[in-house]
Amino acid sequence: MIYLDNAATTFKKPDIVYDAVMDTLKNNAGNPSRGSNRIALAASRKIFESRQRVAEFFNVKNSDEIIFTKNATEASNLILKGLLEAGDHIIISSLEHNAIYRPLNRLQQELGIELTIVDTEVAKVDFLSQVERAIREETKLLAVTHASNLTGNILPVKDLGELAQQKGIAFLVDAAQSAGTLEVNVEELKADFVIFTGHKGFFGPPGVGGAYINAEFELLPLLEGGSGGNSKQKLNPDLVPDKYESGTLNTPAIAGLGAGIEFINDISLENIREHKQELLKRTTSGLEEIAGLRILDSKISQRRVGIVAFKIEGLESAAIGDLLDKEYEIAVRTGLHCAPLAHQSLDSYDQGAVRISFSYFNTVQEVELFLEAVNEITTKRRY
Amino acid sequence: MIYLDNAATTFKKPDIVYDAVMDTLKNNAGNPSRGSNRIALAASRKIFESRQRVAEFFNVKNSDEIIFTKNATEASNLILKGLLEAGDHIIISSLEHNAIYRPLNRLQQELGIELTIVDTEVAKVDFLSQVERAIREETKLLAVTHASNLTGNILPVKDLGELAQQKGIAFLVDAAQSAGTLEVNVEELKADFVIFTGHKGFFGPPGVGGAYINAEFELLPLLEGGSGGNSKQKLNPDLVPDKYESGTLNTPAIAGLGAGIEFINDISLENIREHKQELLKRTTSGLEEIAGLRILDSKISQRRVGIVAFKIEGLESAAIGDLLDKEYEIAVRTGLHCAPLAHQSLDSYDQGAVRISFSYFNTVQEVELFLEAVNEITTKRRY
């Protein structure tokens, strides 16, 4: 099988990730922060090590500002629901994932927050000035994805971070599709919040994601519950990360995430990026030769992470995906990719798109086989 | 090492659990419900199988009523925050874990719900009549733990379920310490909600827990986000389980949980219970011979799951735990066990307690070694 659905989840993982998960599950998976027996402490150490590694990746000095959650969705809900209050105004881009968009819709209905969606299908300079014009006194948060999960286009997060800082509003970067491929430096980006997931570019297992939360912000927790220490308090302890991490942590997955970042550091982000750029270049030039095929490309930037989405005139995207899977053993993702706003902007809302997405383990040969398959499907119009 | 902290998390797990986690992570961990490629479908199948297995365990006919979360704490927050509204009245027992107590304290502060805590340190008949007297028109929910995570005592959940049904209030059973040891039959218990965790008695890995949620109740989701299907909706789809399971699920852990339940079914709950009863009996009779030692025993019942907590006059519980760990390689849990109300009721709030807790893998020989160690520590008073 050729697996080209790495923006959904990377598959396979590096061997050190499998080993870290299994070693931790078999030998170190006591209940971290619960009691001081050696096996509980071993679990706590695993979590501390991974927290340090994640902090270093994001250039966060105090690793207590790294919060582990079950996935990026929990992280975004934690921040948005913990931060926002009635009357707040929030600005997002039209490339946001439902993990950002839906919690905001809920808060809009429930609390009456106000939401401005700035369309990305304009030149970067126009996008930035539209964001600036959207800022008003009640604006509390600017939240944007670092890279679109649909088109792969990279947003101008550095400019947006500067703008947010100038205007005194909080800045959230959704790094679900960039962490593990692009540098995500919270100081450079002037980000107050970063959302990440473990199981995509970081090569960790499913079951772990998290957030960087600038400790200057005191959010309400999303989950109240046991925290190991401070059991006498009626509410969660104020101390981070405990305040935001109620209940038993997923030690094996957190250890696996740490191992995934170690793998990335060993290869280097630069080598990963270069490899993906090579795959991307071959893919786009190959796809562009196919008549009736349109690559979904956001105007916001020319730069991309390892994602390409396309649609073909007269062919259902779902049918293309099925044929790729059943006749060519190529795994892709079709549909709306939890990004309805992006599909609206890019005129693919009705038909959806076929998305392929790379990991470091994909090869140029796999891309060639994929291109041959799409050519064959398109030529024969077999659906 | 002798591991006697299985109420925190079971360690070791059965081999089929390790195998299920690793096989799923290596071979089936696409992103379930995201796309229809073979590897995403393989993940969906794993989740479906485990959901069925959990549903059967709880005697739930429609497995869509089983919701997977990251741990029991997320499950309790999902139910309590999704169900309760301003003005509601809730009754809990004094043996509740902070996973129940803290979310309710938050809702009390934020929404003004009202909370009655019924003390368990009375005879069962008095407890039941106190619960009944506490019920008023605004009472929406009765929430009790099936078995205390501190003392192991089993609560009269069947009587409470009948009472709740008679009075027309919802009934929640926290099965964190009972699932995998006791039968938890939602029909017999007349439970509308059951909270469980994967990594304790069910022998699954950390990173998965969940809830049974009677589909007649339409809760607000705790997390909004991507749901795979229905991407165009501004909010989560209404369909369960998708409505409550935003973001990428933890497929390997969910598969591991399924394998853990398979292991339990193969041995049979009855054999597990009998084995734990044997260990319990030997433990309590051994501990009772030690001068100055008091077993924390709730008056609510004589029946127990495989948990015993005790304190020793003149000895710090934490010091006993440390000595057991460092000098005897016996892992126990000391402190307050996230159950401050229970420690208040049982007069161990200041000193805390030493808790030991069994899994099916513990042996009588381990209990003997533990008893010898406690005897030695007590006799020498080495602290």
Side-chain angles (χ1 to χ4, degrees):
Chain A
M1 187 191 57
I2 298 175
Y3 184 79
L4 298 177
D5 195 15
N6 294 285
T9 192
T10 43
F11 175 82
K12 309 280 185 162
K13 313 290 181 187
D15 284 338
I16 58 164
V17 171
Y18 296 130
D19 294 345
V21 171
M22 198 38 62
D23 175 58
T24 304
L25 184 56
K26 284 193 169 166
N27 303 312
N28 302 293
N31 200 327
S33 312
R34 268 76 179 165
S36 56
N37 66 65
R38 63 190 63 200
I39 195 72
L41 291 175
S44 298
R45 261 193 303 276
K46 287 277 169 197
I47 285 167
F48 179 77
E49 285 166 14
S50 285
R51 206 185 294 279
Q52 290 282 107
R53 206 158 267 159
V54 172
E56 280 162 25
F57 184 91
F58 290 119
N59 191 29
V60 169
K61 300 282 181 292
N62 173 9
S63 69
D64 290 342
E65 295 180 317
I66 300 297
I67 309 303
F68 288 122
T69 60
K70 70 172 178 177
N71 54 26
T73 302
E74 187 193 346
S76 76
N77 277 267
L78 162 60
I79 294 169
L80 298 173
K81 294 177 182 173
L83 175 72
L84 299 175
E85 294 168 312
D88 287 340
H89 173 242
I90 296 90
I91 302 170
I92 64 171
S93 89
S94 60
L95 289 173
E96 300 316 308
H97 189 275
N98 272 342
I100 293 286
Y101 184 50
R102 280 184 171 165
L104 290 173
N105 288 331
R106 161 85 179 269
L107 292 172
Q108 201 170 24
Q109 282 196 3
E110 204 168 275
L111 286 184
I113 65 159
E114 289 194 63
L115 182 60
T116 300
I117 302 165
V118 178
D119 191 18
T120 49
E121 298 321 302
V122 292
K124 177 183 145 184
V125 57
D126 297 323
F127 176 74
L128 289 172
S129 69
Q130 278 181 40
V131 171
E132 186 165 357
R133 276 202 302 277
I135 295 172
R136 46 199 212 221
E137 204 171 320
E138 306 78 34
T139 307
K140 187 181 261 176
L141 179 70
L142 171 63
V144 294
T145 188
H146 195 173
S148 162
N149 77 306
L150 174 62
T151 68
N153 294 87
I154 297 167
L155 275 76
V157 282
K158 219 180 143 187
D159 299 299
L160 292 166
E162 261 166 38
L163 178 62
Q165 196 182 49
Q166 272 172 30
K167 302 287 182 177
I169 60 180
F171 184 46
L172 180 155
V173 175
D174 175 358
Q177 295 297 344
S178 60
T181 304
L182 306 177
E183 213 186 320
V184 185
N185 181 328
V186 298
E187 291 203 359
E188 253 183 54
L189 298 181
K190 307 187 193 315
D192 299 299
F193 307 107
V194 172
I195 287 163
F196 64 91
T197 187
H199 68 98
K200 301 189 198 266
F202 273 150
F203 281 122
V208 60
Y212 156 68
I213 296 180
N214 178 337
E216 286 174 25
F217 290 84
E218 293 193 7
L219 311 182
L220 286 168
L222 185 69
L223 303 177
E224 272 81 17
S227 46
N230 304 294
S231 288
K232 292 178 181 179
Q233 276 182 238
K234 285 186 80 173
L235 293 169
N236 284 8
D238 285 327
L239 212 73
V240 290
D242 305 37
K243 178 181 177 187
Y244 303 126
E245 289 182 347
S246 297
T248 298
L249 284 170
N250 189 350
T251 312
I254 290 171
L257 167 59
I261 295 178
E262 196 183 328
F263 175 83
I264 290 166
N265 292 341
D266 284 350
I267 296 181
S268 91
L269 269 184
E270 203 188 324
N271 285 329
I272 291 174
R273 264 201 309 276
E274 265 180 28
H275 180 65
K276 287 191 182 175
Q277 287 306 317
E278 190 192 351
L279 301 178
L280 261 181
K281 215 171 140 184
R282 181 65 198 102
T283 305
T284 48
S285 72
L287 288 177
E288 278 163 1
E289 286 169 19
I290 298 174
L293 184 148
R294 178 163 79 84
I295 292 176
L296 301 188
D297 196 8
S298 169
K299 294 204 182 76
I300 195 64
S301 75
Q302 317 249 291
R303 288 177 60 228
R304 281 194 164 151
V305 294
I307 296 175
V308 185
F310 62 89
K311 54 183 206 168
I312 301 175
E313 219 185 295
L315 282 172
E316 280 296 323
S317 296
I320 299 170
D322 278 351
L323 285 172
L324 285 171
D325 182 54
K326 292 196 178 60
E327 302 202 5
Y328 302 91
E329 301 200 8
I330 298 175
V332 303
R333 168 93 186 270
T334 61
L336 292 181
H337 313 87
C338 302
L341 295 172
H343 279 283
Q344 276 171 332
S345 284
L346 293 159
D347 190 25
S348 49
Y349 191 66
D350 293 326
Q351 190 184 343
V354 181
R355 181 187 72 182
I356 64 166
S357 48
F358 304 117
S359 97
Y360 182 71
F361 294 126
N362 290 117
T363 64
V364 173
Q365 199 200 357
E366 289 179 326
V367 170
E368 298 296 349
L369 290 169
F370 161 75
L371 289 169
E372 271 174 41
V374 178
N375 257 309
E376 215 172 276
I377 290 169
T378 315
T379 312
K380 299 191 189 161
R381 306 242 158 197
R382 301 183 308 178
Y383 60 100
Chain B
M1 187 191 57
I2 298 176
Y3 184 79
L4 298 177
D5 194 16
N6 294 285
T9 191
T10 43
F11 176 83
K12 312 278 183 161
K13 313 290 180 186
D15 284 338
I16 60 165
V17 171
Y18 296 130
D19 293 345
V21 172
M22 197 39 63
D23 175 58
T24 304
L25 184 55
K26 284 194 168 166
N27 303 312
N28 301 294
N31 200 326
S33 311
R34 270 73 179 167
S36 56
N37 66 65
R38 64 189 62 199
I39 194 71
L41 292 176
S44 299
R45 260 193 304 276
K46 287 278 169 198
I47 286 167
F48 179 76
E49 285 166 15
S50 286
R51 206 185 295 278
Q52 290 282 108
R53 207 157 267 161
V54 173
E56 280 161 25
F57 183 90
F58 291 118
N59 191 29
V60 170
K61 299 283 180 292
N62 173 9
S63 69
D64 290 342
E65 295 180 318
I66 300 296
I67 309 304
F68 288 122
T69 61
K70 69 173 179 178
N71 52 28
T73 302
E74 186 193 347
S76 76
N77 277 267
L78 162 59
I79 294 168
L80 298 173
K81 294 178 182 172
L83 175 73
L84 300 175
E85 293 168 311
D88 286 341
H89 173 241
I90 296 90
I91 302 169
I92 64 172
S93 88
S94 59
L95 289 174
E96 299 315 309
H97 188 277
N98 272 340
I100 293 285
Y101 184 50
R102 280 184 171 165
L104 290 173
N105 288 331
R106 162 85 179 270
L107 292 172
Q108 201 170 23
Q109 283 197 2
E110 203 168 275
L111 285 184
I113 65 160
E114 290 194 62
L115 182 61
T116 300
I117 302 165
V118 178
D119 192 17
T120 49
E121 297 323 301
V122 290
K124 178 182 145 184
V125 57
D126 297 322
F127 176 74
L128 289 172
S129 71
Q130 277 180 40
V131 171
E132 186 165 357
R133 275 201 303 276
I135 295 172
R136 45 201 213 220
E137 204 171 321
E138 307 77 35
T139 307
K140 188 181 261 176
L141 179 70
L142 170 62
V144 294
T145 188
H146 195 173
S148 162
N149 76 305
L150 173 62
T151 67
N153 293 86
I154 297 167
L155 276 77
V157 282
K158 220 180 143 188
D159 299 298
L160 292 167
E162 260 167 39
L163 178 62
Q165 196 183 50
Q166 271 172 30
K167 302 287 182 178
I169 60 179
F171 184 46
L172 181 154
V173 175
D174 176 358
Q177 294 297 345
S178 61
T181 303
L182 305 178
E183 212 186 320
V184 185
N185 181 328
V186 298
E187 291 202 359
E188 254 183 54
L189 299 181
K190 306 188 195 315
D192 299 299
F193 308 106
V194 173
I195 288 163
F196 65 91
T197 187
H199 68 98
K200 300 188 200 267
F202 273 150
F203 280 123
V208 60
Y212 157 68
I213 297 179
N214 178 337
E216 286 173 25
F217 290 84
E218 293 193 7
L219 311 182
L220 286 169
L222 185 70
L223 303 176
E224 271 81 16
S227 47
N230 305 293
S231 288
K232 291 178 182 179
Q233 277 182 236
K234 286 185 81 175
L235 294 169
N236 285 8
D238 285 327
L239 212 73
V240 292
D242 304 36
K243 178 182 178 185
Y244 303 125
E245 290 182 347
S246 297
T248 297
L249 284 170
N250 189 352
T251 312
I254 290 171
L257 166 59
I261 295 178
E262 196 183 329
F263 175 82
I264 290 165
N265 291 341
D266 284 350
I267 296 182
S268 91
L269 270 184
E270 202 187 324
N271 285 328
I272 291 173
R273 264 201 308 277
E274 266 179 27
H275 180 64
K276 288 191 182 175
Q277 287 306 317
E278 190 192 351
L279 301 177
L280 261 180
K281 214 171 141 184
R282 180 66 198 100
T283 305
T284 47
S285 70
L287 288 177
E288 278 162 0
E289 288 169 19
I290 298 175
L293 185 148
R294 178 162 78 84
I295 292 176
L296 300 187
D297 195 9
S298 169
K299 294 203 183 76
I300 195 64
S301 75
Q302 318 248 292
R303 288 178 60 230
R304 280 194 165 152
V305 294
I307 296 176
V308 185
F310 61 88
K311 54 182 207 169
I312 301 177
E313 220 185 293
L315 281 172
E316 278 297 321
S317 296
I320 300 170
D322 279 351
L323 285 172
L324 285 171
D325 183 53
K326 292 196 179 59
E327 302 202 5
Y328 302 90
E329 301 199 9
I330 298 174
V332 303
R333 168 92 186 270
T334 61
L336 292 180
H337 314 86
C338 302
L341 295 172
H343 279 282
Q344 276 172 333
S345 285
L346 293 159
D347 190 26
S348 49
Y349 191 66
D350 293 326
Q351 189 183 345
V354 181
R355 181 187 72 182
I356 64 166
S357 48
F358 304 116
S359 98
Y360 182 70
F361 294 125
N362 290 117
T363 63
V364 173
Q365 198 201 357
E366 289 179 327
V367 170
E368 298 296 348
L369 290 168
F370 160 76
L371 289 170
E372 273 174 41
V374 178
N375 258 309
E376 216 172 275
I377 290 170
T378 313
T379 313
K380 299 192 190 160
R381 304 242 159 196
R382 302 183 308 177
Y383 58 100

